[in-house]
Amino acid sequence: MPDQAPIARPESRPYLFRGQPAADSWTLVREGEAPAGAAILPLDAWLEEAPNPARAPWLSADTELTDALAERLAEAPLIAVDFPKFTDGRGYSLARLLRERYGYRGEIRAVGDVLVDQLYFMTRCGFDGLSLREDQWLEDAQRALGAFSRAYQPAVDQPEPLFRRREREWTRTREEAPAYA
């Protein structure tokens, strides 16, 4: 229909950090590309370089996270985890292991085929940087992150299950209630 305005396309690679739209100063470098500026490199290329605050690794979904590798990754300013397909859930395990087993405190970023439907669960597993697929919208992503007000299960973002939190609140309420004789 010629009288309709074209639909605006989302900006290239929408990015959220801790749930908020953010400027992304990092460039994701795929195999065979030359890095420039702050770059996220394939793991093998990153391991070959000397430690550098302007270089970060990206892990493929099939990366075996060993103690030695995790020790080296602790030096990284951020770690990107690649999702080759949105149906591949191995990246969730990598993020959770980095946070819980190895205590990584830097940014863990989801890259690749990242859809808004996955974001809430990614944050529960330890991702705080979310580089969305180009056809995803930031507004939809922020809505998806707020889709659930509470989670029952323990996770990286809330290590205590809901029943324990409610039990503690109930106990505190009973202790604060006035005693009637």
Side-chain angles (χ1 to χ4, degrees):
M1 300 184 173
D3 59 339
Q4 289 184 336
I7 296 173
R9 300 257 321 134
E11 57 191 67
S12 179
R13 285 283 169 196
Y15 173 66
L16 293 169
F17 183 69
R18 296 188 177 147
Q20 299 301 314
D24 187 5
S25 60
W26 292 86
T27 303
L28 185 67
V29 177
R30 295 290 180 176
E31 297 287 342
E33 296 177 10
I40 302 171
L41 307 174
L43 179 61
D44 292 338
W46 182 79
L47 288 170
E48 290 173 4
E49 288 195 1
N52 181 345
R55 297 287 187 263
W58 63 265
L59 310 179
S60 63
D62 62 351
T63 300
E64 184 180 344
L65 199 54
T66 63
D67 291 344
L69 177 57
E71 188 175 319
R72 178 74 196 277
L73 290 172
E75 305 166 4
L78 76 87
I79 299 171
V81 177
D82 189 34
F83 285 81
K85 293 187 271 184
F86 76 91
T87 57
D88 190 335
R90 295 175 290 176
Y92 294 92
S93 299
L94 285 171
R96 192 139 187 196
L97 286 169
L98 284 166
R99 292 283 189 223
E100 292 181 332
R101 183 177 294 171
Y102 297 109
Y104 184 76
R105 295 289 167 229
E107 177 184 350
I108 300 178
R109 179 182 297 200
V111 299
D113 198 15
V114 178
L115 307 177
V116 295
D117 298 352
Q118 302 166 289
L119 303 184
Y120 175 75
F121 303 105
M122 287 179 168
T123 59
R124 302 239 40 232
C125 290
F127 288 98
D128 49 9
L130 304 162
S131 183
L132 305 171
R133 198 169 72 183
E134 284 108 3
D135 64 343
Q136 304 295 290
W137 297 78
L138 283 172
E139 296 81 14
D140 293 341
Q142 287 184 289
R143 258 193 309 282
L145 287 172
F148 301 101
S149 60
R150 291 195 174 97
Y152 291 104
Q153 309 85 356
V156 172
D157 67 338
Q158 178 54 259
E160 189 176 41
L162 182 61
F163 79 91
R164 293 261 188 247
R165 296 190 310 263
R166 285 190 172 161
E167 184 179 67
R168 188 178 56 253
E169 291 168 7
W170 183 77
T171 301
R172 187 176 21 233
T173 303
R174 287 197 58 199
E175 289 172 354
E176 293 172 356
Y180 295 102

